[in-house]
Amino acid sequence: MTLPTTPLVFDGHNDLLLRLLLGHTTVEQVRNGGGKHHIDLPRATEGGFGGGMFAIFNPDPPGASSSLDNMTDDMALSGLLDPDVALRSTVGQAALLHELAGDGSVIICRTAEEIETALDKPPMAAVLHLEGADSIDPEFRALNVLYALGLRSLGPVWSRKTRWAEGVPFRFPSTGDTGPGLTEDGKRLIRECNRLGIAIDLSHLNEKGMDDVAAITDAPLIATHSNAHAICAHARNLTDRQLDMIAESKGMVGVNFAAAFLRPDGKMRTDFGLDVMLRHFDYLIGKLGENGVGFGSDFDGAMVSREIKDVAGLPKLRQAMLDAGYGAALMTKLCHGNWIDVLCRTWK
């Protein structure tokens, strides 16, 4: 049976830039294939992966407990990163995205219209995203430079603390009610992102921080890669109260493919079926409506179902969605239409 590669997917989150920074793959391998990571251009074409948010993530120093490949069910997180070290990492990853563009693997997009234009081309449509604003200075000079380089989406925190806010720990079972909200600097950051037209990502923010963002922002509330707490009681997932807030703002949530945020038992194991993912899609559509849900895979930053494995496995998920009764119009919305719409309304 031939599996569907359309509608093309625009995805809310991936960590390919970090994989490049750490030397887990190369710019050439992204273009030609052959790496062991989740995303490259040949497999993206095979799977109908049209592009997405390419995250800059600043890792802990070597040996720290919260490295990308050392996550546990209750992981201890490090404190504040050295901002100079974080800035070097941030600039390095932004430069790598531009190298990918120069090599023909991506097209850097700064508007919703550019995403629409680039989506069906062989290079992937790429929006630069900052996952954790560790490298941003209080005067926002780095923010403005990154904006000029294409930054259009920003999460004030990863799961560690920054000068702006506190993130949720990797804890199961738990809610995201784990600490105080935005700092005064954090409130200034939200206002500055609103002024520039940078989307605010709520995915790693704790509950009080999300409440503070909702009270300040004039943009739709967006969680680029989060799931339903009612199904998987992980601190990283969104409670019904939070989903109601997102729905009221006409925002959206990208479904995270990470095992620990999907499985009802919260385990970081890949032996689960696509039906587990569909439960989250169904629940979120029920809470947010058909216009409020999309993909937020966390490819290259998470352990995903072995039934998908990487971007080339996306046709299996599309087929499962079709088999579950998702119609053509809904599929287009979920795969890319909702992302383009919410970013259009956010970036103005």
Side-chain angles (χ1 to χ4, degrees), residues 180-335:
L182 298 179
T183 64
E184 290 305 311
D185 277 343
K187 294 173 183 177
R188 291 195 305 114
L189 176 63
I190 301 307
R191 294 187 181 99
E192 183 65 9
C193 287
N194 278 178
R195 186 186 72 81
L196 290 170
I198 295 173
I200 302 296
D201 179 22
L202 305 170
S203 282
H204 284 271
L205 203 57
N206 65 15
E207 285 194 22
K208 289 183 175 63
M210 179 173 166
D211 290 346
D212 287 343
V213 172
I216 295 168
T217 188
D218 60 5
L221 297 177
I222 296 172
T224 63
H225 57 307
S226 294
N227 293 332
H229 191 272
I231 297 174
C232 171
H234 200 290
R236 270 281 282 106
N237 286 339
L238 299 167
T239 64
D240 285 355
R241 184 184 73 85
Q242 291 175 299
L243 294 174
D244 289 342
M245 292 169 61
I246 293 171
E248 185 177 353
S249 77
K250 294 182 170 54
M252 72 171 288
V253 173
V255 173
N256 194 322
F257 292 10
F261 311 146
L262 287 167
R263 295 171 58 114
D265 62 7
K267 297 297 184 183
M268 292 189 184
R269 292 172 39 186
T270 63
D271 56 338
F272 64 95
L274 301 183
D275 60 306
V276 176
M277 301 181 70
L278 293 185
R279 286 185 63 196
H280 285 270
F281 272 103
D282 288 344
Y283 192 89
L284 292 171
I285 291 168
K287 295 294 292 184
L288 302 171
E290 293 187 358
N291 299 326
V293 183
F295 285 36
S297 70
D298 216 348
F299 278 137
D300 280 315
M303 296 172 63
V304 306
S305 169
R306 61 191 182 191
E307 293 192 27
I308 293 180
K309 295 182 181 178
D310 56 34
V311 289
L314 286 171
K316 295 179 181 177
L317 178 56
R318 284 192 198 82
Q319 187 61 55
M321 295 165 80
L322 291 169
D323 291 344
Y326 290 35
L330 176 58
M331 289 288 289
T332 298
K333 288 181 178 183
L334 297 174
C335 287

Side-chain angles (χ1 to χ4, degrees), residues 122-144:
M124 296 172 280
V127 172
L128 186 60
H129 168 78
L130 185 59
E131 184 178 28
D134 313 85
S135 55
I136 303 301
D137 56 282
E139 296 76 29
F140 303 134
R141 295 187 182 107
L143 182 67
N144 282 281

